[in-house]
Amino acid sequence: MRLPCRRAQLDSCGFSGVRRKRGRGVPEGYLMEKLKIGGLKLSSTLCQFELSGYDPPQKILSTVSKSFSAEKINIEFLTYNSSNSDRCHISLCVSEESFSAAATLFQKNEWLPPNWAVISREKVGMATIFPSQSALAVLGIVLGAWGENSLPVYGVATSLSAISVLTDFRAMDKAVEVIQASFRLPDNHAPLKPEIHYYQSPVNKKD
């Protein structure tokens, strides 16, 4: 699945970033200054599950979260939304080590309504960007640059301080190159890569 992205549409919304922009008094070929970002963080290999159906996503999310928690499965990425047709979409990622256990839950448990569909995707990577300026402009530049370089976008999540974008883990090196070429990063900055993995302990602590 790829997110369609056209540069002309992004430019019309003010996301022209590092592209040429003509205007009154602006000479031909003038390049705007690159936006500055505070840093870049990369995930380990993830696996993605996409759920879709017509029931309220909050109830489904509550059930999924409780089932995952019972099996000590951490959720690394989570978004949900509703379309105009009232169809709801949930996207979540777990670590590669937890993929088999999570897939088994979806296959064996009957807590999903029959009208809900689940698809999975392995070898997913997440790039998290910490914008120093307009987050909306940064997101537009990322989507446009990745589209130009045929990098797939499997999901997007934003917060007050970060933007996370999912792509093919095997394309992460290329994704990083594109981000580094599109923005100004702090001097001597290297993308942060995970070195520590956290797991839920099966041991219950007693008072």
Side-chain angles (χ1 to χ4, degrees), residues 63-161:
T63 303
V64 170
S65 297
K66 290 178 181 177
S67 298
F68 276 30
S69 178
E71 296 297 325
K72 314 301 179 185
I73 299 174
N74 292 328
I75 297 177
E76 310 286 346
F77 174 94
L78 174 63
T79 62
Y80 71 90
N81 64 78
S82 301
S83 64
N84 293 332
S85 63
D86 293 329
R87 190 173 183 85
C88 301
H89 301 270
I90 299 173
S91 175
L92 63 89
C93 289
V94 300
S95 67
E96 187 175 42
E97 294 82 2
S98 299
F99 174 72
S100 179
T104 299
L105 281 178
F106 283 118
Q107 292 170 356
K108 290 185 175 181
N109 284 299
E110 299 179 353
W111 34 259
L112 280 179
N115 60 347
W116 275 71
V118 181
I119 62 173
S120 62
R121 180 181 291 114
E122 300 185 61
K123 303 296 181 183
V124 173
M126 179 168 59
T128 300
I129 301 167
F130 302 95
S132 299
Q133 297 170 265
S134 171
L136 186 59
V138 170
L139 176 59
I141 293 172
V142 171
L143 297 181
W146 281 20
E148 289 180 349
N149 288 272
S150 300
L151 291 166
V153 176
Y154 297 149
V156 176
T158 62
S159 67
L160 293 176
S161 59

